[in-house]
Amino acid sequence: MDAQVATSTHTVPRMTAGVGAKVVARDCNVFYGEKHAIKMLNVDIPDRSVTSFIGPSGCGKSTFLRCINRMNDTIPICRVTGTINIDNRDIYDPSLDVVQLRARVGMVFQKPNPFPKSIYDNVAYGPRIHGLAQSKAEMDEIVMTSLEKAGLLKEVKDRLLESGTGLSGGQQQRLCIARAIAVSPEVILMDEPCSALDPIATAKIEELIDELRSNYCIIIVTHSMQQAARVSQRTAFFHLGTLVEEGETSQIFTNPQDKRTQDYITGRFG
Amino acid sequence: MTDISAPNAMGVAKQRRVDVTSAAAQARVRARYRSEARFKTYGLLALGITTVFVGVLLSDILLRGLPSFWQHRLVLDVPVAADAFGPPGKADVAAIRGGDYFPITKAALANAIPGIESRSAEKQLNRLLSTGAPDELRERLAANPALIGKTVKVPLLLSDDADLYFKGGETAIVKRAPRGIATPSGVNGEITVLTASNDFSDELITIKRALAAAAARTQFESNRLLKSPDKANQTRGTELAAEAKNLSTRAELSRGEEVLDDKVPSVLIEINGGLVKANKLGDSSITGEVLLPLKSTAEAKPADWKIVTFVTPEANRKVTDQEVAFLERLRSNGAVENVFNWRFFTAGDSREPELAGVRGALVGTALTLFVTLILCLPIGVGAAVYLEEFAPKNRFTDLVEVNINNLAAVPSIVFGLLGLAVFLNFFGLPRSAPLVGGLVLALLVLPTIIIAGRAALRSVPPSIKEAALGVGASHQQAIFHHVLPLAMPGIMTGTIIGMAHALGETAPLLMIGMIAFIVDVPQSFVESATVMPVQIYLWSDLPEKAFQAKTAGAIIVLLGFLFLMNGMAIWLRKRFERRW
Ligand SMILES: Nc1ncnc2c1ncn2[C@@H]1O[C@H](COP(=O)(O)OP(=O)(O)O)[C@@H](O)[C@H]1O
Ligand SMILES: [Mg+2]
């Protein structure tokens, strides 16, 4: 549909198309004004597993990630073409409500960004605006289980009414994860969730991601190849706005098909 | 593959290092230190100058204004005649409130200073009291009519001139012990006092000197006027020349009795419990009129009488010698009290300085600012939120934005003209009303609030909005649940500063007629009212000296409000400031 990218020569190794795939992107292009940030991207992302996006800075990982919950809509100059389906439903379909989409596709950001409110209110905010709880007791239950799932309950159960911004960086990030899972999303997008954290906090988050894998489709952008290797089942390598290679994590790291992937994972550039 | 790194040819070029030991490097370091020290000095200098200016300004205003917060009153035993308000025992509250109090206060004063015979002296005695003097008495009687027929000890307000006299600066009073025995010729009216020594020679010399100085001054003024081409000035100059000649002849006449007038210091004699003002002054005798009656014509030993000089000539002061005599007598009787001037805060404007207060202007200001706030805050915040978060970026919104920024710089009087044309002439709203004042000030403050509001909204980190959007909040929910509450302290700060700006605004209010003399405290938004800065402007224009102090006093009140508002803004900022 875009003449300028039709000449793209990349062949994307596909997994068994559609079957079991939660998120499916076809011929996806993203433009920031004139800048072509994502070029003819095709990818299938499976449910109940962790997929990591790796690649050098500025290659479009975040851009594509933000397309999956249409966060890019907030950038006026950003334009998306092609299709991205979740459960075979085009999320850019005009009849689809973007707010409901975002309730189904949660997001965790690079820098922990809890609301400057109490821990309880941070987690309760999503369920509250979506009317997920009919009573205070139900809300309590949602907050508790979300914090529990995010592995934070033990640390904060005595100070639920204290401000979320008073927690440590790692705790704040887990609070953000608790906030995201409180609305029971199907997909969780994480954009370098550990890059602002120390190694111990990072380890905790990674552990948490591993636990969440059984219930969610998780997509994580990371700069650390070790992290990708540790937490993800599949890995996609981006370079200059194109998806170079995507496959089983072990295969990408041990037997990359593309020269650029090989150069990147052996640390020759990035 | 552009960013695949290749070994480069670094290290081939000659390495340039900073040589810290070289003279040039050390000179550079010294120059840097010097420039830093210089910069610091400039900063301190600027700070010092500002502090001095602010200090001078504030202390000047405080010095002038603080006296107006105090007031002198006479506490007298006031005999209230049983039939003062109709037949005894039948006085109702209306009669008490509407009664004539002049005879009552007159009687009280006559009791306090007995023996005054001359009509003119009596008049001057009664003029010492303010027209509002009986207010307190009236309230007491109205509250308790049983007091009628009794003697009530009640404070009576002094007139502004008497009050100013007690606040000082009218004239210095010098008292001197004489050497001879003095004999007065009478106890009242025109009398002569003889003394056995040349007790008044010093006074005579002083007077002659004063005359010579006055002659020189008059001559100078006359010369100046004669040079002017204006006819009237010429005539006046000739008059003054004659006067100067007259004065200098008097000054040169070496001996003999000197006739005193109001252009030279007043000489008085305190004798036998009375006070005599000299009209004619000789070496060893004076002739003059009795200001305070003497007890007897008995001879007074040198220790028992005194020569008193009021240094400032009578013509140069607000109070006559007679009034000074009364006031000093009342003071020595212990009848004068200095109390906090509550009336300044509870009364509306008045033509009498001692009765004037800022209540009307304060209420007018409150009503006006209320209208302003009610209009500005919702409209301003709404506009800020819309422009910052929702408005599409196009030519039109750009235009709106530029114009809002321009509006903030428009001279305030223009808003006044607009208010006059639109609110008064077109919509026919009442003149001088807080409603219109508030509308005009709202126009003035709106741009400030919008700009401050947008800045506050922008300073909320986008990550908060993203977080809200990320859990499925709509754009509007994200703004109203998260961004706006976080921006609120900043918006409030901007609003308070805008309101403080409006509080001090005068020019646009003059245009819509809020400059009238209004005695009544306004009760509604459509009644005529005035506001603090306009009240200050009005008072500053009045000739009475007491109003100068009132002006400064009103400025203090206004500044107090400004400090309060700015303090509140700072407090809000401190209290709700967040670090992300
Ligand atoms: N809001 C934006 N406006 C314009 N260009 C953008 C914007 N966000 C990202 N880009 C550009 O898009 C490209 C991809 O950015 P990004 O997706 O953030 O890279 P990554 O997350 O892989 O480091 C970069 O070249 C960046 O300059
Ligand atoms: Mg990124």
Side-chain angles (χ1 to χ4, degrees):
Chain A
M1 72 178 52
D2 259 283
Q4 58 202 115
V5 290
T7 51
S8 172
T9 53
H10 309 300
T11 50
V12 179
R14 300 223 175 133
M15 68 172 289
T16 39
V19 183
K22 184 80 179 169
V23 181
V24 179
R26 288 292 173 268
D27 296 343
C28 182
N29 290 287
V30 182
F31 303 85
Y32 289 114
E34 290 299 298
K35 185 176 165 61
H36 199 168
I38 295 286
K39 298 164 189 160
M40 286 307 269
L41 187 139
N42 292 285
V43 73
D44 292 15
I45 295 166
D47 201 359
R48 292 173 207 287
S49 73
V50 179
T51 304
S52 58
F53 291 176
I54 59 171
S57 275
C59 66
K61 308 178 296 291
S62 300
T63 300
F64 180 61
L65 193 74
R66 291 162 61 89
C67 285
I68 300 174
N69 69 346
R70 291 182 55 180
M71 207 57 143
N72 280 334
D73 289 14
T74 57
I75 302 170
I77 57 166
C78 182
R79 195 160 52 85
V80 181
T81 66
T83 56
I84 299 175
N85 288 0
I86 294 180
D87 288 340
N88 297 321
R89 179 101 157 77
D90 184 1
I91 61 167
Y92 281 88
D93 183 344
S95 69
L96 182 130
D97 181 54
V98 64
V99 167
Q100 282 177 355
L101 170 73
R102 292 199 192 120
R104 288 168 55 208
V105 184
M107 189 157 192
V108 177
F109 298 83
Q110 181 170 356
K111 215 177 130 235
N113 58 351
F115 300 130
K117 297 184 172 192
S118 73
I119 293 169
Y120 184 96
D121 284 339
N122 260 284
V123 182
Y125 181 69
R128 193 172 290 147
I129 57 173
H130 294 298
L132 297 188
Q134 306 309 321
S135 65
K136 174 89 173 79
E138 270 181 54
M139 184 60 87
D140 287 350
E141 151 118 47
I142 292 175
V143 171
M144 293 305 168
T145 45
S146 305
L147 286 172
E148 170 76 59
K149 278 193 220 162
L152 194 60
L153 187 61
K154 260 213 288 291
E155 289 153 69
V156 302
K157 67 169 177 292
D158 299 326
R159 44 176 178 150
L160 286 176
L161 298 180
E162 283 171 35
S163 174
T165 48
L167 297 173
S168 75
Q171 289 173 324
Q172 286 189 17
Q173 196 60 300
R174 279 181 281 147
L175 178 61
C176 292
I177 294 174
R179 180 176 65 190
I181 59 186
V183 290
S184 311
E186 297 155 37
V187 182
I188 301 176
L189 312 174
M190 299 185 178
D191 194 349
E192 302 183 30
C194 302
S195 62
L197 305 181
D198 63 80
I200 293 172
T202 302
K204 280 197 177 146
I205 302 262
E206 284 178 5
E207 210 174 291
L208 173 59
I209 292 172
D210 206 50
E211 279 165 22
L212 294 174
R213 167 163 68 98
S214 53
N215 288 312
Y216 303 91
C217 166
I218 297 174
I219 307 172
I220 174 170
V221 172
T222 174
H223 258 115
S224 149
M225 277 170 281
Q226 289 85 343
Q227 185 171 62
R230 282 195 298 267
V231 301
S232 67
Q233 284 71 56
R234 296 186 74 83
T235 298
F237 172 64
F238 285 66
H239 183 55
L240 295 178
T242 58
L243 177 62
V244 175
E245 189 170 352
E246 193 261 7
E248 297 277 342
T249 299
S250 52
Q251 174 252 313
I252 295 284
F253 280 102
T254 54
N255 185 19
Q257 304 294 304
D258 195 286
K259 172 85 168 49
R260 288 167 295 179
T261 319
Q262 195 172 6
D263 285 344
Y264 183 71
I265 61 175
T266 52
R268 303 274 300 279
F269 71 103
Chain B
M1 307 232 106
T2 47
D3 49 358
I4 291 182
S5 56
N8 62 20
M10 257 270 284
V12 176
K14 178 175 169 271
Q15 291 227 340
R16 288 168 183 275
R17 281 237 172 90
V18 179
D19 181 1
V20 289
T21 53
S22 77
Q26 282 179 358
R28 255 196 319 277
V29 169
R30 275 197 304 277
R32 183 155 53 78
Y33 283 170
R34 265 202 308 278
S35 105
E36 277 164 14
R38 209 160 41 226
F39 182 71
K40 203 171 156 189
T41 318
Y42 291 154
L44 285 177
L45 213 67
L47 206 68
I49 291 173
T50 351
T51 316
V52 166
F53 272 125
V54 171
V56 166
L57 187 81
L58 278 186
S59 50
D60 179 59
I61 287 173
L62 286 180
L63 226 60
R64 284 163 192 258
L66 283 182
S68 71
F69 292 129
W70 275 266
Q71 197 166 48
H72 288 87
R73 304 193 297 193
L74 287 182
V75 185
L76 295 182
D77 290 320
V78 183
V80 184
D83 60 353
F85 308 102
K90 291 249 165 69
D92 61 352
V93 175
I96 292 172
R97 287 206 183 277
D100 180 11
Y101 285 82
F102 184 70
I104 302 178
T105 55
K106 189 172 153 180
L109 281 170
N111 279 351
I113 301 182
I116 302 300
E117 283 171 2
S118 104
R119 297 278 301 187
S120 131
E122 203 180 335
K123 228 179 180 166
Q124 292 186 57
L125 179 57
N126 287 314
R127 252 189 34 206
L128 292 180
L129 286 183
S130 160
T131 51
D135 286 357
E136 176 123 13
L137 177 63
R138 185 184 297 126
E139 287 311 313
R140 282 205 202 169
L141 292 183
N144 183 9
L147 290 174
I148 295 173
K150 300 195 176 119
T151 295
V152 192
K153 196 173 182 84
V154 74
L156 302 171
L157 196 58
L158 281 167
S159 75
D160 55 327
D161 289 337
D163 184 49
L164 273 183
Y165 174 76
F166 283 129
K167 281 173 183 167
E170 283 288 286
T171 176
I173 296 178
V174 181
K175 289 191 183 180
R176 197 163 70 78
R179 290 179 297 271
I181 293 173
T183 332
S185 69
V187 294
N188 225 330
E190 179 99 358
I191 64 166
T192 307
V193 181
L194 296 170
T195 151
S197 171
N198 61 342
D199 277 318
F200 304 120
S201 59
D202 284 2
E203 273 68 31
L204 258 180
I205 291 167
T206 318
I207 299 286
K208 298 272 183 203
R209 280 211 197 107
L211 281 172
R217 255 201 323 274
T218 317
Q219 188 63 50
F220 180 82
E221 180 69 8
S222 139
N223 291 347
R224 197 179 63 81
L225 286 173
L226 285 173
K227 276 194 209 114
S228 139
D230 186 58
K231 197 88 189 173
N233 281 350
Q234 291 271 354
T235 343
R236 178 86 186 118
T238 332
E239 272 170 37
L240 283 181
E243 198 179 320
K245 191 145 173 45
N246 183 14
L247 284 170
S248 64
T249 347
R250 278 172 64 190
E252 277 154 26
L253 226 66
S254 62
R255 290 255 138 213
E257 290 206 319
E258 176 63 48
V259 177
L260 301 182
D261 58 15
D262 61 0
K263 298 206 179 48
V264 293
S266 308
V267 178
L268 302 98
I269 287 174
E270 212 178 272
I271 187 167
N272 291 352
L275 193 68
V276 188
K277 176 190 174 183
N279 288 335
K280 270 195 225 127
L281 185 63
D283 251 357
S284 57
S285 78
I286 62 145
T287 309
E289 66 186 294
V290 173
L291 299 185
L292 298 171
L294 280 58
K295 290 210 182 70
S296 69
T297 54
E299 285 185 353
K301 287 201 271 313
D304 295 340
W305 68 287
K306 281 200 177 61
I307 303 170
V308 184
T309 313
F310 297 168
V311 178
T312 312
E314 199 174 13
N316 297 353
R317 25 179 163 97
K318 284 279 183 191
V319 282
T320 61
D321 290 337
Q322 177 72 71
E323 284 167 344
V324 174
F326 287 145
L327 290 171
E328 286 300 332
R329 170 57 59 88
L330 287 165
R331 172 145 68 186
S332 62
N333 285 356
V336 180
E337 66 169 10
N338 190 11
V339 291
F340 191 78
N341 185 1
W342 287 111
R343 185 187 277 271
F344 189 60
F345 297 97
T346 57
D349 199 3
S350 167
R351 286 290 181 223
E352 304 296 331
E354 74 276 11
L355 300 179
V358 291
R359 170 99 176 270
L362 279 178
V363 173
T365 299
L367 292 175
T368 306
L369 287 188
F370 181 76
V371 173
T372 307
L373 186 68
I374 286 295
L375 283 170
C376 269
L377 198 58
I379 298 179
V381 173
V385 169
Y386 180 76
L387 284 173
E388 194 59 37
E389 300 286 351
F390 294 98
K393 292 273 164 286
N394 57 27
R395 281 270 182 86
F396 178 70
T397 47
D398 282 352
L399 194 76
V400 169
E401 211 179 313
V402 168
N403 277 308
I404 286 173
N405 291 340
N406 281 342
L407 271 185
V410 166
S412 57
I413 192 132
V414 176
F415 289 106
L417 283 169
L418 186 81
L420 178 65
V422 177
F423 299 132
L424 297 191
N425 294 346
F426 187 73
F427 287 113
L429 293 176
R431 281 172 63 82
S432 315
L435 175 65
V436 182
L439 285 167
V440 168
L441 291 182
L443 293 176
L444 191 83
V445 177
L446 208 48
T448 317
I449 294 190
I450 294 176
I451 292 170
R454 294 187 64 177
L457 286 167
R458 223 168 325 172
S459 73
V460 176
S463 67
I464 295 294
K465 194 164 94 180
E466 283 192 328
L469 293 177
V471 293
S474 69
H475 188 186
Q476 194 183 333
Q477 284 172 328
I479 303 293
F480 285 99
H481 293 171
H482 297 285
V483 180
L484 189 58
L486 292 175
M488 224 48 207
I491 295 177
M492 292 318 294
T493 308
T495 307
I496 292 172
I497 287 173
M499 296 303 285
H501 178 187
L503 176 67
E505 211 36 87
T506 326
L509 300 181
L510 302 188
M511 297 307 298
I512 55 148
M514 287 190 94
I515 188 168
F517 168 70
I518 290 148
V519 176
D520 296 322
V521 176
Q523 306 287 334
S524 78
F525 292 105
V526 290
E527 263 170 67
S528 285
T530 187
V531 293
M532 281 305 289
V534 175
Q535 184 73 77
I536 290 169
Y537 172 74
L538 285 170
W539 280 352
S540 72
D541 229 21
L542 293 175
E544 286 93 340
K545 200 169 163 218
F547 269 122
Q548 289 172 19
K550 294 266 156 184
T551 307
I555 290 174
I556 292 175
V557 174
L558 184 63
L559 283 182
F561 268 88
L562 282 174
F563 287 154
L564 202 75
M565 288 177 88
N566 285 340
M568 214 151 76
I570 291 170
W571 179 79
L572 269 175
R573 203 155 48 213
K574 283 251 153 60
R575 172 80 178 69
F576 293 104
E577 189 177 47
R578 280 178 199 285
R579 301 193 192 287
W580 312 96

